[in-house]
Amino acid sequence: MADDAPIDQQVYDELIAQGKSERVALAKARAAALRQQRQGAPQGSEADDRAQGGVPAAGGETGGRDAPASGPSPGAEAAPAGQERVRQALATQGAAATGSGGAAAGAGADGPAAPGEPARRRLGLTTPPGIQTIKGKQEDKVYTWPHLISSEFVALLSILAFLLVFSSLVDAPLQELANPTESPNPAKAPWYFLGLQELLLYFHPMVAGVTLPGAIITGLIALPYLDRNPSQRPENRRTALTIYTLFLVFWATLTITGSFFRGPGLNWVWPWVDGIWFNL
Amino acid sequence: MSRIPSAQDVKRGVQGSVVWRSIFRPGSIYRGDHRDTSRERALAAMNNVLYHLHPVKVKRHGLKLSYTYCLGGSSFFLFIVLTITGIFLMFFYTPAAGTGTELAYADMQQLTTSVPFGELVRNMHRWSAHLMVLTTFLHMARVFYHGAYKPPREFNWVVGVILLLLTLLLAFTGYLLPWDQLALWAIVVGADIAGFTPVFGEEVRFLLLGGAEVGPDTLLRWYVLHVLALPFVLTIFLAVHFWRIRKDGGISGPL
Ligand code: HEM
């Protein structure tokens, strides 16, 4: 977002007085200013709808519906003169629309606002509801062919080359025939479940095996609906980034521990002393 | 006597033929009249079924390796490699594990000793599977760190989580198929964890294993899931995933 976005000075001063950091105060003051602006606008959710409506270029300004769709002339006019002429036109139109005969006198008194609305629409000055205004931002784009296709092709070849070389050098394991009566020690799950298996050593299986994984999956699915912070910039998302990073570190630690630091009986081992019990 | 046609003439003749022009549509670099213009670059994306996955133009910043690290694309490519190598393996594999007739295990041994490229293809399948789990995890992290799950991309994140779960299930069901000690006991451990589901624990375990214990029925069940059911579901969700990327306005950002 632009750095010169309007801020609510009062909110800002209050927060600074409370000893909040400048970054937080600025962000909240901006949000407050935006909220006020939204409340003034006719339909607060419109910008949202537009962003979700699948119009690729949407998501530009959040201002009201101020774009004349196909106005007869005012778009090109200098603002004051054009507006004056439109207002006059609306006044007469409104009068004609409401009073079919002689009630033209009232039109001047209550102004064009209420009776003028349908007239405005007829004149094409406002967008009828249900029609999306597409305001495309000029974006820095390149042709898919050849730019994207060629980099994808390079990526594809690199992966293929890596796979071929690695598969020629390292064989997939094939141990003895499965034997349900003879359990290996330790018996380990595949690596992507070793974090889970490690958790099972600390908690009751109901917690570690079911509740926690369930909570993680639910949390991941719900994440976009819980995190309502609209910013994508790292400096505005410190909480979210911290939580996710902690989660990743936590999970990676569990997985690495389960993979390399657990030996027979799932007892602790030092891989450089006792060896590694890990299969892929 | 007319003169012998030169290579140029042949090329012109072939490229001008109705058949050639019906296969290579306008925009293709294989057409005789191809010119590298903006118009033809756009047509190349619109008229080719492979490029058709992509829009005609993409944001420039999305091309940088440091934006996506090509992790989603790599996951997809690995899935294709897995499909191709997996089909190869299916020709030589029988999902049978009755006592004394453990064809599954015998076939794996045969594959590595007496099928040309058998071992190589098996290795590729195995390593691609591990790699795909890894790239999918990392892809999710990259999407998170870019805040790319924010409106309008919330639902695509949800589709992504489903893709991750399906990827894990595919990897896990495949793990059992060689029917060696490693496979069997990894699945015993996994199924025991699933057995701790509250209330329905025993039922869940029974459903997964196709019986009270890991046995031949488990193998058949997981084989069908692994080679047919899960790839089918994954493909459908992939289609939705890619479709949503385009409909949500292409790649997110720039930050
Ligand atoms: C089978 C696994 C998956 C495949 C093949 C896949 C494929 C892709 C591809 C090719 C892209 C384009 C951009 C890129 O390469 O980063 C993408 C974007 C995206 N993916 Fe995935 N994906 C998978 C799993 C996931 C998961 C696990 C998540 C999250 C939970 C996810 C969420 C997203 C989102 C939100 C985008 C849009 C990102 C943006 O606009 O910057 N995907 N995916």
Side-chain angles (χ1 to χ4, degrees):
Chain A
M1 298 286 152
D3 284 326
D4 50 15
I7 65 164
D8 188 324
Q9 194 62 40
Q10 195 185 343
V11 174
Y12 181 78
D13 293 341
E14 262 171 35
L15 287 166
I16 290 292
Q18 284 169 19
K20 292 275 194 286
S21 78
E22 194 188 4
R23 185 178 65 83
V24 171
L26 204 59
K28 294 209 163 157
R30 258 186 218 149
L34 196 63
R35 265 199 302 280
Q36 280 167 6
Q37 198 182 322
R38 286 245 177 90
Q39 265 163 14
Q43 276 175 6
S45 66
E46 196 194 14
D48 212 357
D49 287 349
R50 234 191 279 151
Q52 306 211 356
V55 181
E61 302 88 323
T62 44
R65 29 162 77 182
D66 48 6
S70 59
S73 70
E77 304 263 350
Q83 274 170 9
E84 187 48 38
R85 213 188 303 159
V86 170
R87 201 167 296 134
Q88 275 171 12
L90 285 171
T92 40
Q93 276 283 330
T98 39
S100 46
D110 26 293
E117 181 54 30
R120 254 176 216 269
R121 193 162 289 158
R122 225 174 312 117
L123 283 172
L125 297 179
T126 42
T127 330
I131 291 192
Q132 294 176 326
T133 333
I134 302 175
K135 287 190 203 162
K137 262 187 300 181
Q138 193 75 43
E139 281 179 319
D140 189 13
K141 288 192 164 185
V142 294
Y143 280 103
T144 297
W145 168 262
H147 301 284
L148 178 59
I149 301 293
S150 50
S151 13
E152 282 179 343
F153 192 60
V154 172
L156 182 157
L157 287 184
S158 322
I159 296 174
L160 201 58
F162 169 78
L163 277 177
L164 277 170
V165 171
F166 194 80
S167 301
S168 314
L169 299 179
V170 189
D171 284 342
L174 185 64
Q175 300 183 345
E176 317 82 70
L177 175 65
N179 181 355
T181 57
E182 189 191 314
S183 147
N185 188 10
K188 287 193 181 185
W191 66 270
Y192 34 82
F193 289 144
L194 282 183
L196 215 58
Q197 204 180 356
E198 181 67 16
L199 266 186
L200 278 166
L201 296 177
Y202 309 117
F203 297 104
H204 185 272
M206 256 278 287
V207 177
V210 183
T211 317
L212 216 76
I216 292 175
I217 294 169
T218 316
L220 280 176
I221 290 182
L223 168 78
Y225 305 100
L226 297 178
D227 176 7
R228 299 314 291 172
N229 171 3
S231 175
Q232 291 198 19
R233 304 244 308 243
E235 59 268 34
N236 301 332
R237 304 175 58 217
R238 294 200 184 160
T239 319
L241 296 185
T242 311
I243 294 176
Y244 195 80
T245 308
L246 283 179
F247 169 70
L248 280 190
V249 171
F250 169 71
W251 202 250
T253 311
L254 283 181
T255 305
I256 292 172
T257 310
S259 302
F260 303 119
F261 292 85
R262 293 286 169 190
L266 292 183
N267 290 318
W268 186 272
V269 295
W270 297 106
W272 50 88
V273 181
D274 313 286
I276 293 180
W277 282 263
F278 178 68
N279 278 299
L280 276 171
Chain B
M1 277 292 282
S2 58
R3 69 190 176 86
I4 300 163
S6 71
Q8 270 302 320
D9 293 335
V10 174
K11 186 176 171 212
R12 208 172 299 133
V14 170
Q15 287 192 329
S17 74
V18 181
V19 175
W20 190 272
R21 293 168 66 87
S22 75
I23 299 172
F24 299 100
R25 305 302 298 158
S28 164
I29 53 171
Y30 301 112
R31 277 172 81 96
D33 53 3
H34 174 76
R35 281 160 56 231
D36 192 18
T37 60
S38 292
R39 189 184 126 81
E40 299 242 328
R41 287 179 175 199
L43 284 171
M46 285 187 274
N47 282 347
N48 184 310
V49 69
L50 289 178
Y51 308 167
H52 197 81
L53 273 174
H54 292 303
V56 168
K57 282 181 140 191
V58 290
K59 296 182 194 159
R60 188 189 298 275
H61 75 93
L63 282 181
K64 281 198 236 121
L65 187 62
S66 60
Y67 194 75
T68 64
Y69 295 100
C70 203
L71 286 166
S74 303
S75 309
F76 181 53
F77 179 58
L78 286 167
F79 180 62
I80 307 237
V81 171
L82 283 162
T83 309
I84 295 170
T85 51
I87 290 173
F88 178 93
L89 294 177
M90 277 178 76
F91 284 116
F92 306 101
Y93 178 84
T94 323
T99 320
T101 55
E102 287 95 349
L103 281 176
Y105 183 73
D107 285 347
M108 292 318 278
Q109 283 181 319
Q110 286 260 315
L111 183 77
T112 51
T113 51
S114 40
V115 175
F117 299 109
E119 175 126 64
L120 179 73
V121 176
R122 172 166 184 243
N123 292 346
M124 281 180 74
H125 194 76
R126 184 85 163 201
W127 303 136
S128 308
H130 285 309
L131 207 57
M132 182 176 168
V133 174
L134 190 67
T135 53
T136 308
F137 264 126
L138 295 177
H139 170 59
M140 180 164 87
R142 139 19 227 164
V143 169
F144 180 87
Y145 283 111
H146 285 166
Y149 56 84
K150 305 201 170 195
R153 297 187 175 80
E154 305 104 309
F155 185 64
N156 216 14
W157 169 273
V158 177
V159 173
V161 176
I162 294 170
L163 284 174
L164 177 67
L165 295 179
L166 287 169
T167 307
L168 286 174
L169 279 176
L170 263 170
F172 193 50
T173 48
Y175 212 76
L176 180 66
L177 303 188
W179 203 250
D180 60 350
Q181 278 290 72
L182 185 62
L184 179 77
W185 287 96
I187 271 55
V188 170
V189 172
D192 282 349
I193 296 180
F196 289 119
T197 309
V199 190
F200 306 110
E202 267 315 299
E203 287 79 356
V204 168
R205 198 166 171 280
F206 195 91
L207 195 75
L208 275 178
L209 298 184
E213 295 302 331
V214 180
D217 293 334
T218 319
L219 183 63
L220 183 60
R221 182 161 299 206
W222 287 36
Y223 176 73
V224 174
L225 282 174
H226 183 76
V227 304
L228 209 62
L230 290 170
F232 174 70
V233 179
L234 188 96
T235 306
I236 290 180
F237 276 95
L238 268 185
V240 178
H241 198 57
F242 294 159
W243 166 253
R244 283 300 299 234
I245 295 173
R246 272 185 83 166
K247 289 293 144 181
D248 294 340
I251 195 85
S252 63
L255 289 182

